[in-house]
Amino acid sequence: MLVGNIISFIKAGVLLGRFFVSKTSPHEREQLKLRLRELKGEEKTRIVGKILDAEELERRRAIRSECDVERAWEQVQRRMEERRDRRRLKRYALMLQSAASLAAAVLIACGVIYYTHIGRQKRVMAQIAQIKPEGQHAVLYFADGASIDLGLRDSLALRTETGVDVELTGENCLAYKSRHEPKKELPEEYNTLVTPRGSEYSLTLADGTRVWLNAASRLRFFTSDRGRERRVWLEGEAYFEVAHDARRPFIVESGGQSIRVLGTRFNINTYEGDRAIYTTLVEGSVAISPLAGGDAVTLEPGQQAEYSRRKGGAIAVKAVDTSLATAWMSGTFIFEHASVTEIMESLSRWYDFEFEVSPLLDGLRFSGQFPRCENLDKILTIIASTGTGMQINYDGTKITLR
């Protein structure tokens, strides 16, 4: 019984399929009615009977004959394409809206970052602008250990037992003047003049030699004009105009070298004492020799000697523009192919600040000149505006360049 029902169901399905594709004959339609009646369910029989009704079948055939299949298919395709276009436009609109929103967000973020950076840089530079050099200040140390802060003095007049008077002869000018008393045996005494960072000072020695001390420098010098030689010791930088005296040589010891002169003008820079000492001759003649022993080198005007500790005290001589070495005397910074660290070292001695330079900036070189009276923030702004992307930070104590 079950097998018979299954067979009847399959046969009815085959006939029904042929009917829907208009492949059935009148006999096959009658058979389809009988097969469907064999299935359970009166409602199904009624519906299928209506479908198989001759008039209804004819009406459906008439509708199909009047239908332009190709045109209908074109309309279907066109509507499908229109729907795809609408979906595509909607998708593009959403994408454009999202892109616009993202671009606006990026622009706003960039603007915030830019103006935050600009504002921070302005605040940093405003702080740096407060860093000023002291200008005219020095401390004088006597042989007995006593000291005088010359920056706190408007006048000074001392009489020493070595036959000289010590006076302030002008702004940032100290002078030792011989009293020309009858000569007698006097103990040799030495005083020391120290300039802190941000200051410079000038000194006239008892023999008439004039010395200008740059910032962060120290000079130990003789106080009497009666010694057999004139010897001084220098740390830092100084310019000398040595009074001529054929009987008594003038000797400057600095670092590991000794300079012997009779009468001349020259500049000594020992700031890089652990690396090199530079002696630049403007006028006259000087002989430079290593204190540890070795051959002496004689300079001519327009030459510079570089004494290198790293090379075992070797001395190299080259022709230079002496105005570069003595520019500080006229109140000017001059840099020629200088590294960022070299520039900051020079500025820090004058403006008295600590600094740190990123290793990424070590390869950069700069040339230019600035007045020493210029505000530090302006100098740093000019250096940072050279297209290097340099950033300047200041924490109240240290300036950092990155």
Side-chain angles (χ1 to χ4, degrees):
M1 184 68 178
L2 179 60
V3 174
N5 286 340
I6 292 174
I7 293 173
S8 296
F9 182 80
I10 293 173
K11 289 182 177 181
V14 171
L15 291 172
L16 189 60
R18 288 175 58 80
F19 166 75
F20 278 112
V21 294
S22 300
K23 296 289 185 179
T24 53
S25 64
H27 177 69
E28 288 176 328
R29 287 197 293 275
E30 289 299 323
Q31 284 189 330
L32 178 59
K33 288 181 181 181
L34 293 175
R35 297 295 181 185
L36 291 174
R37 287 192 187 102
E38 293 177 358
L39 300 176
K40 302 296 183 181
E42 295 179 359
E43 185 65 20
K44 293 179 181 180
T45 303
R46 184 182 65 80
I47 293 173
V48 173
K50 185 177 179 181
I51 293 173
L52 298 178
D53 182 79
E55 293 181 3
E56 181 66 19
L57 182 62
E58 188 63 29
R59 188 179 67 83
R60 287 200 302 272
R61 283 178 176 173
I63 292 173
R64 285 199 302 273
S65 64
E66 294 176 0
C67 179
D68 188 340
V69 176
E70 292 185 359
R71 183 180 178 186
W73 177 242
E74 289 178 357
Q75 291 179 348
V76 170
Q77 286 184 315
R78 185 169 59 253
R79 289 179 182 177
M80 290 177 64
E81 187 66 28
E82 288 175 355
R83 289 182 182 180
R84 281 197 296 269
D85 289 342
R86 285 196 295 271
R87 286 197 297 268
R88 190 180 299 116
L89 289 173
K90 185 177 181 179
R91 187 161 58 248
Y92 286 162
L94 290 174
M95 289 174 64
L96 290 173
Q97 184 178 1
S98 300
S101 300
L102 179 60
V106 170
L107 288 174
I108 292 173
C110 290
V112 171
I113 292 172
Y114 175 77
Y115 285 106
T116 300
H117 172 72
I118 294 299
R120 185 186 62 79
Q121 283 295 99
K122 287 184 177 179
R123 291 193 297 272
V124 168
M125 288 307 180
Q127 289 180 297
I128 293 177
Q130 303 306 311
I131 302 176
K132 306 288 186 181
E134 290 192 40
Q136 322 302 337
H137 181 62
V139 179
L140 177 63
Y141 293 89
F142 296 99
D144 61 2
S147 64
I148 296 177
D149 188 337
L150 300 177
L152 303 177
R153 293 280 190 137
D154 292 327
S155 63
L156 176 68
L158 298 175
R159 291 177 65 87
T160 71
E161 296 181 358
T162 58
V164 296
D165 296 330
V166 182
E167 301 176 359
L168 286 174
T169 59
E171 189 177 13
N172 76 315
C173 297
L174 181 67
Y176 281 65
K177 298 180 179 180
S178 177
R179 292 197 296 266
H180 303 291
E181 295 177 345
K183 293 185 178 181
K184 59 181 179 179
E185 284 295 325
L186 296 174
E188 192 71 56
E189 289 187 359
Y190 292 90
N191 289 174
T192 302
L193 186 65
V194 177
T195 54
R197 288 176 145 198
S199 298
E200 58 185 22
Y201 222 82
S202 68
L203 169 67
T204 300
L205 300 179
D207 69 334
T209 293
R210 297 189 65 186
V211 184
W212 286 261
L213 277 182
N214 203 349
S217 300
R218 173 187 295 264
L219 181 73
R220 184 171 179 257
F221 57 92
F222 54 89
T223 61
S224 173
D225 189 29
R226 301 180 182 181
R228 288 174 296 183
E229 66 177 14
R230 300 171 293 173
R231 186 181 297 268
V232 299
W233 291 261
L234 173 67
E235 296 176 16
E237 185 171 21
Y239 179 83
F240 292 84
E241 287 187 358
V242 178
H244 181 75
D245 188 338
R247 297 179 298 106
R248 296 182 303 159
F250 191 96
I251 300 171
V252 182
E253 290 190 14
S254 56
Q257 71 175 11
S258 174
I259 302 174
R260 184 183 180 90
V261 302
L262 293 176
T264 188
R265 298 181 181 184
F266 61 98
N267 190 85
I268 304 177
N269 183 334
T270 72
Y271 286 134
E272 299 183 21
D274 60 333
R275 292 170 286 181
I277 300 173
Y278 299 93
T279 304
T280 306
L281 183 62
V282 177
E283 180 183 297
S285 178
V286 298
I288 305 172
S289 58
L291 290 174
D295 296 333
V297 172
T298 301
L299 292 185
E300 296 179 357
Q303 291 184 330
Q304 182 182 79
E306 177 183 347
Y307 171 87
S308 176
R309 285 185 174 179
R310 294 181 176 180
K311 297 180 181 179
I315 301 177
V317 178
K318 64 180 179 180
V320 296
D321 180 356
T322 60
S323 65
L324 299 180
T326 61
W328 66 273
M329 293 273 299
S330 58
T332 306
F333 291 110
I334 298 182
F335 302 110
E336 286 287 335
H337 200 61
S339 69
V340 177
T341 297
E342 290 170 341
I343 292 174
M344 293 301 287
E345 285 176 347
S346 182
L347 295 177
S348 69
R349 282 192 293 269
W350 184 240
Y351 292 96
D352 190 16
F353 62 87
E354 301 297 326
F355 71 91
E356 179 182 345
V357 176
S358 169
L360 298 177
L361 301 177
D362 281 346
L364 301 178
R365 291 292 184 271
F366 296 90
S367 297
Q369 64 181 52
F370 308 95
R372 281 161 71 99
C373 61
E374 184 66 273
N375 286 345
L376 176 61
D377 63 308
K378 293 184 179 180
I379 297 177
L380 294 180
T381 298
I382 292 173
I383 295 174
S385 64
T386 55
T388 60
M390 185 185 302
Q391 295 185 357
I392 304 173
N393 295 311
Y394 180 56
D395 62 5
T397 302
K398 180 189 292 184
I399 295 176
T400 304
L401 303 185
R402 301 191 183 281

